[in-house]
Amino acid sequence: MWPDLMKKSREGGLDAIETYVFWNAHEPARRQYDFSGNLDLVRFLKAIQDEGLYAVLRIGPYVCAEWNYGGFPVWLHNMPGIQMRADNHVFKNEMQNFTTLIVDMVKRENLFASQGGPVILAQIENEYGDVMSSYGDEGKAYMNWCANMAQSLDIGVPWLMCRQDDAPEPMISTCNGWYCDQYQPRRSNIPKMWTENWTGWYKNWGGKDPHRTAEDLAFAVARFYQMGGTFQNYYMYHGGTNFGRSAGGPYITTSYDYDAPLDEYGNLNQPKWGHLKQLHDLLHSMEDILTTGNVSSVDLGDDSVWGTIYSKEGGSSCFLANVDQGSDKRINFQGVNYTVPAWSVSILPDCLNVSYNTAKVSTQTSVMVKKANVAEDEPISLKWSWRPEMDDRTILLAKGDVTVNQILDQKEAANDLSDYLFYMTSVNLKKDDPVWSYNMTLRVKSSGQILHAFVNGELIGSQWSKNGGENFVFEQNVKLNHKKNTISLLSATVGFTNYGANFDLAPSGITGPVELIGYHGDDEIVVKDLSSQKWSYKIGLEGLNQELYSSQSLKWQEDSFPVNRTLTWYKTVFKAPLGTDPVVVDLLGMGKGLAWVNGNSIGRYWPSFIAEGDCNLEPCDYRGSYDSNKCLSNCGHPTQRWYHVPRSFLNDNGDNSLVLFEEFGGNPSSVNFQAIAIGSACISAEENRKIELSCQGRPISAVKFASFGNPQGACGSFVKGYCEGSKDALSVVEKACVGQESCTIDVSEATFGSTTCGDDVIKTLSVEAIC
């Protein structure tokens, strides 16, 4: 997908691609490196260069990014004497080794701009200023060490330290956030830069779908450049998918769509992509005057409205901003009257004519739809086989790979080799044991993700946290014998914590204590603490260790097909959906688990986790400051129902395999594959503009609605107003567009005929086309 995503980025008006470098992906075991396949950093940077773009290399190597453990490899946590992100020689040695490795790799290929390559900026650390005070004097010393170490690598391009106001020279401190127009670097000799303009927000399991409007995002960008900004990067322009076990959090979803201008599947997220493209094109046309012109501010007599003039010999360009959240403002600027809508910026490249206003969207809204797989009659045609996961030796004999006399943190015991870790012990109860009772429970304190408890081979219960970040206490009744009893606790993680001061020390797995509770008469309670006795540990699951997701030699059962059964593997064969549209698999009916297509992990799934809470069903109001609690949707529905299957994972001709490991219990009978495509395109634009409608590679098949005058409503519910052009707008648009992949229309009375709307009506064309 890289070339296509980069092409769409360049076409959208971007100059550079910014990327993190994920330490845990590239050094999964100490001094064992992986730059193969999609981890080929050099190939990625060369692809950027081939597309005519620059690159910004955010080495970190702490990255946050809602990525597992913030991008740190867990083996780092397990090194003796280490303290991460502090003035600690063990950590600094490992960090310098990896950073130097990356820099040397890029240097060898002549990829820094100082060598004629595309990399114009590099970053060391990431948002350390947010947490530095928690590390005391060692934090300040570490930050200075980072700067000196980076500078010593002599890359010939500037180094960034985002959200690090006190970054030492020559480091450039930058801003991250939804708005950075008010940000000013502490040092006057460095440019005003914005490394993360948050285009939306990420999603947690159990969370709602976030949305940031195109109007507000464009407003933030225009304000930034009005106020002297020189560089801004979208986080994210394309978020994509957390394949495998890369999602962090905890509880970050597999989808990392982020409501970005390019959606999870690489489609244009319209109108956001197009509205920003128009802004980018205009700013590019003003680049010389914005970077070399003299700047002056204009008092327009209202605290919420201000003007900015960039001027130099031969011309000037102007910005008019209205930060009022509710009221449009009518102003007089240089002898001309203008109306600036609430929470918007108007850009006048000649300081006279408004070429762009952030609140007025004149690009299409694309309505994406999911199409059934016509390659075969799914889901009826999907034939499933299955295998149980349970290993009797593990569950009944409580035998693992390592045995110690304590409860271990899951990071220490499993080293991030799997989401799953068995904690196992046995206990012999005599009749005279004080805890013995006919009313006994097993009580376990867990770190707040997922726990399945087995006693003598039987599942007695499961429990998980609603948000993945709070500890919980599991307690269930147990029936024990006057002999050896086995206790097997299966702990499952859903991404390690990736942000915050000392985030690396956040507990994982079973924290303990693990206790047997005996309830006797007269409120007498006896507690038997099992935490310090012999515990055996087994990493992963039998099916994972046997690589059931890719093995062709192991047998699967086709009879006695079970549903709603915990810890069960399912397998089916399917045909790839026809065409080139992005593919998703609908996993509604499943509980939680892992999924693979042709041996490629498409990530964790959890469609049984419902997004709870209330959503405002009214259209999202772009006016006013955005945050992650504004403009939410999808309440009462699965947090994530559809899962991305890249076309590169599929065999276009022949069979494909889907393997599911179901942890909670589910029914795969409704699982099916679908393709995502644009179903319809809508647009509303004021007169004296040229608009483009596109079905993104497919022909426009029909025009459902078209009206020039004062049409009302929104996409999918347009209605005619009280005035219209003298020509039939529907016929005009049909003639121009039907049968074409895209069409351009001049929104004017010359095209649609004169109207009786009156001078006080801003004449508008609204169209809904079917793809």
Side-chain angles (χ1 to χ4, degrees), residues 161-405:
M161 288 186 115
C162 66
R163 294 178 85 145
Q164 191 69 55
D165 289 343
D166 58 350
E169 294 192 58
M171 300 292 113
I172 299 175
S173 177
T174 64
C175 182
N176 289 355
W178 285 298
Y179 308 96
C180 284
D181 54 293
Q182 298 302 308
Y183 168 74
Q184 290 295 334
R186 283 191 184 178
R187 303 200 315 270
S188 60
N189 63 338
I190 62 175
K192 178 174 177 173
M193 303 177 74
W194 189 1
T195 34
E196 291 188 14
N197 179 356
W198 300 333
T199 58
W201 204 238
Y202 58 85
K203 188 164 65 169
N204 301 87
W205 295 113
K208 311 170 189 69
D209 288 356
H211 173 60
R212 188 181 186 188
T213 64
E215 296 94 326
D216 180 65
L217 183 55
F219 174 59
V221 175
R223 286 174 69 191
F224 180 69
Y225 285 108
Q226 177 182 11
M227 301 298 289
T230 62
F231 166 95
Q232 73 98 34
N233 168 72
Y234 294 105
Y235 187 96
M236 303 291 290
Y237 197 76
H238 168 69
T241 306
N242 288 317
F243 296 116
R245 301 171 49 248
S246 59
Y251 277 23
I252 299 297
T253 56
T254 299
S255 171
Y256 200 67
D257 181 85
Y258 218 88
D259 195 30
L262 295 177
D263 71 14
E264 178 180 1
Y265 317 109
N267 296 311
L268 306 186
N269 179 9
Q270 296 279 41
K272 188 173 282 188
W273 183 89
H275 193 46
L276 291 175
K277 171 181 167 54
Q278 291 179 349
L279 175 57
H280 300 156
D281 291 346
L282 181 57
L283 290 172
H284 277 127
S285 73
M286 299 161 57
E287 183 175 0
D288 179 61
I289 201 167
L290 291 179
T291 54
T292 64
N294 297 313
V295 186
S296 59
S297 297
V298 181
D299 184 354
L300 297 173
D302 188 318
D303 290 342
S304 61
V305 184
W306 74 90
T308 304
I309 302 173
Y310 286 81
S311 60
K312 62 182 299 183
E313 186 177 353
S316 59
S317 296
C318 297
F319 294 80
L320 301 176
N322 176 11
V323 299
D324 192 291
Q325 299 185 18
S327 300
D328 299 349
K329 300 291 182 177
R330 186 167 176 80
I331 61 172
N332 185 278
F333 177 67
Q334 296 186 342
V336 180
N337 291 326
Y338 298 92
T339 297
V340 185
W343 203 253
S344 78
V345 177
S346 292
I347 303 178
L348 299 70
D350 59 359
C351 283
L352 179 63
N353 298 292
V354 176
S355 291
Y356 183 92
N357 177 270
T358 59
K360 296 182 178 181
V361 178
S362 59
T363 54
Q364 74 180 47
T365 295
S366 297
V367 180
M368 308 305 292
V369 297
K370 297 176 179 69
K371 304 181 299 179
N373 183 5
V374 296
E376 55 189 355
D377 188 16
E378 291 191 351
I380 298 173
S381 63
L382 292 182
K383 304 298 183 184
W384 292 91
S385 54
W386 70 284
R387 285 176 63 106
E389 162 55 34
M390 303 313 300
D391 172 25
D392 290 342
R393 188 177 76 90
T394 299
I395 298 302
L396 294 177
L397 303 179
K399 290 185 178 180
D401 303 316
V402 177
T403 300
V404 294
N405 292 331

Side-chain angles (χ1 to χ4, degrees), residues 47 111 130 170 199 225 235 363 401 415 484 495-496 499 554 726 747:
L111 291 172
D130 293 354
T199 58
Y225 285 108
Y235 187 96
T363 54
D401 303 316
N415 210 30
K484 181 179 179 180
F496 292 132
Y499 180 76
L554 297 173
S726 58
V747 183

Side-chain angles (χ1 to χ4, degrees), residues 540-667:
L541 303 168
E542 284 301 302
L544 292 174
N545 296 333
Q546 295 173 356
E547 298 183 349
L548 287 180
Y549 48 85
S550 60
S551 173
Q552 302 298 318
S553 59
L554 297 173
K555 292 184 178 180
W556 293 71
Q557 302 178 37
E558 296 184 356
D559 57 346
S560 303
F561 182 76
V563 296
N564 300 319
R565 184 181 187 276
T566 58
L567 304 181
T568 302
W569 291 81
Y570 297 101
K571 183 178 182 179
T572 191
V573 173
F574 66 97
K575 302 289 185 184
L578 302 177
T580 59
D581 292 326
V583 176
V584 292
V585 58
D586 181 359
L587 294 181
L588 190 66
M590 301 305 294
K592 175 196 172 291
L594 306 171
W596 295 263
V597 170
N598 293 332
N600 300 289
S601 172
I602 62 171
R604 303 181 181 102
Y605 67 81
W606 202 345
S608 62
F609 210 143
I610 304 301
E612 298 180 350
D614 298 322
C615 292
N616 189 344
L617 300 181
E618 296 298 318
C620 182
D621 189 345
Y622 71 87
R623 298 172 300 179
S625 294
Y626 178 79
D627 63 43
S628 58
N629 294 311
K630 184 179 181 180
C631 301
L632 299 172
S633 62
N634 199 46
C635 293
H637 300 285
T639 308
Q640 185 176 348
R641 173 177 172 178
W642 291 279
Y643 297 81
H644 183 203
V645 182
R647 285 276 181 182
S648 60
F649 287 4
L650 296 172
N651 302 314
D652 291 332
N653 301 311
D655 290 337
N656 298 271
S657 68
L658 170 67
V659 175
L660 306 174
F661 168 65
E662 174 55 49
E663 183 180 334
F664 288 178
N667 185 346

